[in-house]
Amino acid sequence: MKTAITELFGIEHPIIQGGMHYVGFAELAGAVSNAGGLGIITGLTQRTPELLAKEIARCHDLTDKPFGVNLTFLPSFSAPPYPEYIAAIREGGIKIVETAGRSPEQYMPALKAAGIKVIHKCTSVRHSLKAEQIGCDAVSVDGFECGGHPGEDDMPNMILLPRAAEELKIPFVASGGMADARSLVAALAMGAAGMNMGTRFMATKEAPVHDNVKNALVAASELDTRLVMRAIRNTERVLKNAGVDRLLEIEREKGAKLKIEDIHNEVAGVYPKVMIEGDMDAGAWSCGMVVGLIHDIPTVKELIDRIMADAERLIRSRLMGLLGAESRASLEVA
Ligand SMILES: Cc1cc2nc3c(=O)[nH]c(=O)nc-3n(C[C@H](O)[C@H](O)[C@H](O)COP(=O)(O)O)c2cc1C
């Protein structure tokens, strides 16, 4: 399938694996790129720029296809040295960067000078337009359903995607709630040029996370996510667990007076405990509502091949089948 996104990034299928803290290691990014999608290493999971350089080199050993690096500009307890991370990305020969969180404006000159294409993740039309204006090549439009940080507008993709299509000139992918061929075809119908998946890619054989995480994703339903940290305007969608229950209890007690220090234990340092040790109640970790559509743990290639084959069937049989014989004949002639 050819879209503006496959052309922009030189990939076979319009499917991107979004950056995921403690999930987006070389194993997953390499597997996604080898299967024809765009794999993305999560930059800040690597504690130093030197470690990121090593992770990029490891991914080059796993695939000769394009892959990217995610750089997340979020409020954090200590600000990472972004220019050094960008140097590691540039020197690692990376040509695609997924930015997220705050605007990447300040870093655009450095990224562009290195010939890097930038796809910025946005949860609103106004931020998407700003990304276009500062020279981003594409946008990942992240709806309210998404795992991670959906922003503060609570705008689901059924509205956000067509609105983005109305306003944007640069291509965009649909992100948040995407799991299968139905998601891809619907996203294309709403004007997106592909889709970005996070949670779905965590439940694959190659995702380098503890089996407890993958099994929890298969067991969970679409009702099992919670929003945390709204009071400090850092809203995150996470999978419900005992740690999240504790966090929500503190949030209820503190109300609008909540400070990040109050919930430090439930949000800081949680990812290694969950993803590596498999401690499922350690605290808050991102997960999308799409978890309700995850019923198996395929290889990345099985997942992507299935999506593309089903998408073709969906378009040819279901959608074309809805047209009358006369419309179909005129399409065939055209
Ligand atoms: C476990 C997990 C960790 C994530 N970590 C990051 C991150 O570090 N930076 C980022 O930009 N997005 C992060 N995301 C968001 C994803 O890149 C993606 O935008 C999101 O998962 C899309 O929604 P979906 O989960 O419904 O597919 C994370 C998502 C998950 C599920």
Side-chain angles (χ1 to χ4, degrees):
M1 187 182 285
K2 254 194 194 172
T3 73
I5 284 293
T6 60
E7 299 300 284
L8 180 67
F9 295 139
I11 53 178
E12 193 185 344
H13 306 305
I15 299 176
I16 300 178
Q17 166 250 315
M20 283 181 279
H21 198 37
Y22 274 90
V23 184
F25 291 97
E27 288 81 2
L28 181 60
V32 173
S33 289
N34 279 333
L38 180 69
I40 295 192
I41 290 176
T42 315
L44 298 188
T45 297
Q46 303 302 323
R47 285 188 324 280
T48 64
E50 293 72 34
L51 288 173
L52 176 59
K54 284 193 184 141
E55 195 65 12
I56 291 171
R58 233 162 53 79
C59 201
H60 279 305
D61 286 342
L62 297 173
T63 183
D64 51 13
K65 302 257 177 70
F67 63 92
V69 172
N70 168 283
L71 263 189
T72 302
F73 305 112
L74 279 178
S76 61
F77 297 110
S78 58
Y82 288 111
E84 282 90 333
Y85 274 97
I86 291 174
I89 288 168
R90 187 186 62 231
E91 284 154 25
I94 295 295
K95 292 295 172 202
I96 303 164
V97 165
E98 177 198 54
T99 52
R102 283 181 289 118
S103 166
E105 185 164 13
Q106 162 182 15
Y107 302 104
M108 286 303 284
L111 293 166
K112 287 280 121 189
I116 290 170
K117 289 180 180 136
V118 178
I119 177 163
H120 185 52
K121 196 164 353 175
C122 301
T123 57
S124 71
V125 174
R126 66 186 184 284
H127 291 147
S128 304
L129 283 171
K130 172 78 179 169
E132 179 174 279
Q133 186 209 325
I134 63 171
C136 291
D137 300 277
V139 179
S140 198
V141 174
D142 226 12
F144 183 52
E145 308 88 329
C146 74
H149 295 269
E152 311 302 325
D153 288 350
D154 300 357
M155 193 56 62
N157 267 334
M158 284 298 277
I159 312 297
L160 191 55
L161 297 173
R163 280 289 298 122
E166 284 175 6
E167 304 267 352
L168 286 175
K169 291 185 201 71
I170 54 173
F172 66 95
V173 295
S175 178
M178 305 286 128
D180 52 32
R182 296 169 298 183
S183 325
L184 177 61
V185 173
L188 295 172
M190 286 191 276
M195 69 176 177
N196 178 65
M197 300 194 295
T199 306
R200 174 66 267 201
F201 274 125
M202 239 192 306
T204 57
K205 294 239 159 54
E206 293 90 338
V209 300
H210 199 284
D211 279 347
N212 288 357
V213 176
K214 301 181 191 186
N215 294 334
L217 292 172
V218 172
S221 92
E222 63 276 20
L223 301 174
D224 292 333
T225 71
R226 294 291 181 272
L227 293 176
V228 298
M229 292 192 282
R230 174 127 280 181
I232 54 170
R233 294 186 64 78
N234 187 30
T235 301
E236 182 178 359
R237 187 178 296 286
V238 300
L239 190 70
K240 181 178 154 46
N241 62 46
V244 169
D245 286 344
R246 283 195 303 274
L247 195 166
L248 290 172
E249 189 52 43
I250 299 170
E251 291 198 346
R252 268 190 295 275
E253 271 168 29
K254 302 273 174 185
K257 296 203 182 89
L258 183 79
K259 295 204 180 60
I260 187 78
E261 302 83 70
D262 299 327
I263 51 172
H264 190 271
N265 287 348
E266 281 73 29
V267 297
V270 169
Y271 276 81
K273 289 187 205 146
V274 174
M275 301 299 174
I276 298 171
E277 293 163 30
D279 175 359
M280 299 311 295
D281 289 319
W285 58 278
S286 298
C287 176
M289 286 174 157
V290 73
V291 71
L293 294 174
I294 297 177
H295 310 302
D296 61 355
I297 305 170
T299 67
V300 165
K301 184 167 163 44
E302 281 162 0
L303 177 65
I304 291 185
D305 284 351
R306 180 166 82 195
I307 292 172
M308 295 316 297
D310 288 352
E312 188 166 337
R313 260 194 299 278
L314 250 180
I315 294 168
R316 279 191 199 286
S317 315
R318 174 157 172 74
L319 299 186
M320 297 278 278
L322 295 175
L323 299 176
E326 215 172 283
S327 312
R328 276 206 305 274
S330 70
L331 277 177
E332 273 152 29
V333 170

